[in-house]
Amino acid sequence: MSETNGPRRAAQQMQEAARYLARATRNLDAPSDSHEILRSLTETQGSIAQAIRELAAWHRAAAAGTHYSRPHNESARGVMIAVSELDLAAQEADALQETLNRAHGGSSVVNWLEEPEPEPPSSDD
């Protein structure tokens, strides 16, 4: 795989994994798995935020005649819009990571049961 296709392929693999996770989390067989899943999501979100910042930096450094046609005002405007929106997305991604971290912290104090507790006998017996 060429270096050029590495980031694109990594993004495709992440997309596939996210689709699988979305389906897999519809029902958790072991309630305690939710804590580990939240930890993984928190760490993944940190990596996503970093990737967004890297894309913003790359777009910020994109040069007319090297990365896009010159003179092409629409391309230049598109690059500026991408930078602005990626900067905003990075801020929002950081905020989402913080929110997930708090959810993970909340989950850490739960005494998860892998099997439901038996119902106490009723007093009518």
Side-chain angles (χ1 to χ4, degrees), residues 99-112:
T99 301
L100 286 168
N101 194 43
R102 288 191 301 273
H104 181 251
S107 178
S108 70
V109 300
V110 177
N111 186 16
W112 296 108

Side-chain angles (χ1 to χ4, degrees), residues 51-53 55-57 59 81-91:
I52 292 169
R53 284 190 296 275
L55 281 170
H59 280 81
I81 290 169
V83 167
S84 175
E85 293 301 316
L86 286 166
D87 285 342
L88 178 59
Q91 292 173 7

Side-chain angles (χ1 to χ4, degrees), residues 53-72:
R53 284 190 296 275
E54 296 291 342
L55 281 170
W58 184 91
H59 280 81
R60 195 172 278 108
T66 300
H67 299 106
Y68 59 92
S69 296
R70 155 181 58 203
H72 191 246

